Amino acid sequence: MIIVIIGAQWGDEGKGKVVDLLADRFDVVARYQGGHNAGHSVYVGEKAFVLRLLPSGIIHEESTCVLGNGMVIDPKAFFEEIDQMTAQGISITPERLKVSSRAHLIMPYHRALDHTSEERLGNEKIGTTLRGIGPAYEDKAGRRGIRVADAMSPELLKLRIERNLEEANRIIVLFGQQPLRADDIYNEIAPLVERLRPFVCETSHFLAEARKQKKRILLEGAQATLLDVDHGTYPYVTSSNPTAGGASVGAGIPPHHITGVLGIVRTYATRVGEGPFPTEMLDEEEDMANLIRQRGNEYGSVTKRPRRCGWFDAVATRYAAELNGFDSIALTKLDVLDALEEIKVCIGYEIEGKRVDTFPAVSNDLRMIKPIYETLPGWVSETVGVTEFSKLPEKARAYVEFLSAQIGVEIGLISTGPERDQTVILKDSVMEGWFKD
Ligand code: IMP
C-alpha cells in the first residue's frame, strides 16, 4: 500500500500530526519534494518536535524514512536536525534514514541568492523562507546542480562549487554583498558530505523493493497544493511540486503503484509570505484573524512569522481535490473554531460581478476576487479532545458535513487538538480502512 499525503491549501494544515498518527501503521515514510522550508510540529506527550527536512515518521523508531530524489537538501540543516532529534532521544541511523543519491544539495550560495532575488523583487517579493530552496531548484532545472551522488566525489564537488560560484558571485556582488569563496564553501561542505555518505541510497530502488515486500509506504508532501510551482498561485509558490503527481516523480514511484491520496484540510485557511489569498480576514475582520491566529497558534514553526488567516475556501479546496484526486480528507483544527458564533465559508468566486467557476491562473485575478460566502452558525462549545463524531456538537457536525459536501470528498479524520489521541476517525470511511489494513 502506498498513500500520498498532501496539504490542500497553502501549507501548515497540520500534516505533521496526521503523518505522525499514520506513521505507526506504515513501514516507510518518504518525502518527495522541498527541503527545510517545511516545518512540521509534532506533539507527543510532553515533547514537541519540529521537523524540517526529516519525515515525521522519524519519531517512530520502527519506521524507515526516505529523503527522495525530488528534494533539495542543505547538508548543514540536515545534520543540525539529526543532532537536535538525537538530543531529544530519537535514534537516527543510516539503517532507518535513507537519502537519495539523486537529491540536490543546497549550497551556501543558494541561500545568498535567495536573499538577492527577494531584494530584487522589492514590493513584489515572494516572501520565501530564505533557505535557498528556489535557487537550488533553479540550478537543478539549469542542469548545473550538485546532486548528493556528485558530491561524493571530492574532485567533482570542488569543480562544481568553483564553476557555479563564478556565476553566483556575479549576482551577489551586484547586490553589494561580499563574494563568497569557493575554498570556504568546499571546506564547510566536504566534511558534511562525508558524514552524509552512509545515509546515501538508491532510494527509488529501495522503495520498489519495499513495495514488493508488501511494506506500507507513506509519501509525505511538504508545503501544499496552492504552493505548487505548476498549479499554485504562481509566482507566489515554492519551486517544487507538492501535488500528487510530484510524489511519483519525486520519490521515483510509478503513478499506478500509488494506492490512495489523502488531503489535509484545515477548518480555516492561512498563508505565510506574500501572494493572493481570496478569503483573507482583513480590515474589519482583523480581530477575527487575531483570534484565530492566537487560538490556532498560527505562527511559522520554523520562521515564527505570523500567518495570514482567512475563512475556509471551498473553491480552492475543490481545485486541490481535483488536482490531487483526494480519496479522503483529514480535517484539522476543528477546536480552533470553538469560540466563534458564526463561521463563514467561501462557496464561490466573483470577479467584477461575474461568477468564476475555476481557480484563476493569474495572481492579479485572484486578488480581484470577491468571495461568495455562506455563513454557518458556530457551536460555541468545547470540542477539544473529542474522539467520536457523534459526541461533537450538532452544529460542529453540520459544519464538517457542509465542508465535505462542498469539496465533494469524504472527511475521514477530524483533529480536535494537537495530541495524537485528540482525533476522530470516521466509521466506514476510506481513511478508516487505511488505519485498519
Ligand atoms: P520557498 O519555498 O522558501 O521558496 O518559499 C516560497 C513560498 O512558499 C513562500 O510564500 C513561503 O512562505 C511558502 N512556504 C514554503 N514552505 C512552506 C511551508 O512549509 N509552509 C507554508 N508555506 C511555505
Side-chain angles (χ1 to χ4, degrees), residues 10-17 31 33-43 49-56 81 129 131 133 220-224 227 266 272 297-305 307 333:
W10 282 281
D12 311 305
E13 293 90 352
K15 286 185 293 283
K17 167 178 165 168
R31 268 191 62 184
Q33 44 71 233
H36 65 312
N37 46 349
H40 291 171
S41 306
V42 181
Y43 302 89
F49 299 93
V50 176
L51 297 158
R52 296 180 298 169
L53 257 173
L54 303 178
S56 310
E81 195 167 327
T129 58
R131 302 281 194 273
I133 306 290
E220 174 183 344
Q223 291 80 53
L227 290 173
R266 194 170 21 191
V272 273
N297 189 25
E298 298 298 351
Y299 296 89
S301 42
V302 175
T303 59
K304 306 289 171 223
R305 290 185 286 180
R307 296 176 185 146
K333 297 210 172 183

Side-chain angles (χ1 to χ4, degrees), residues 210-243:
R211 178 183 162 272
K212 275 191 209 151
Q213 291 158 22
K214 304 265 180 282
K215 297 248 169 82
R216 298 156 58 90
I217 302 170
L218 188 64
L219 302 178
E220 174 183 344
Q223 291 80 53
T225 304
L226 300 176
L227 290 173
D228 185 284
V229 67
D230 282 83
H231 302 288
T233 48
Y234 193 88
Y236 301 95
V237 291
T238 192
S239 301
S240 64
N241 290 113
T243 44

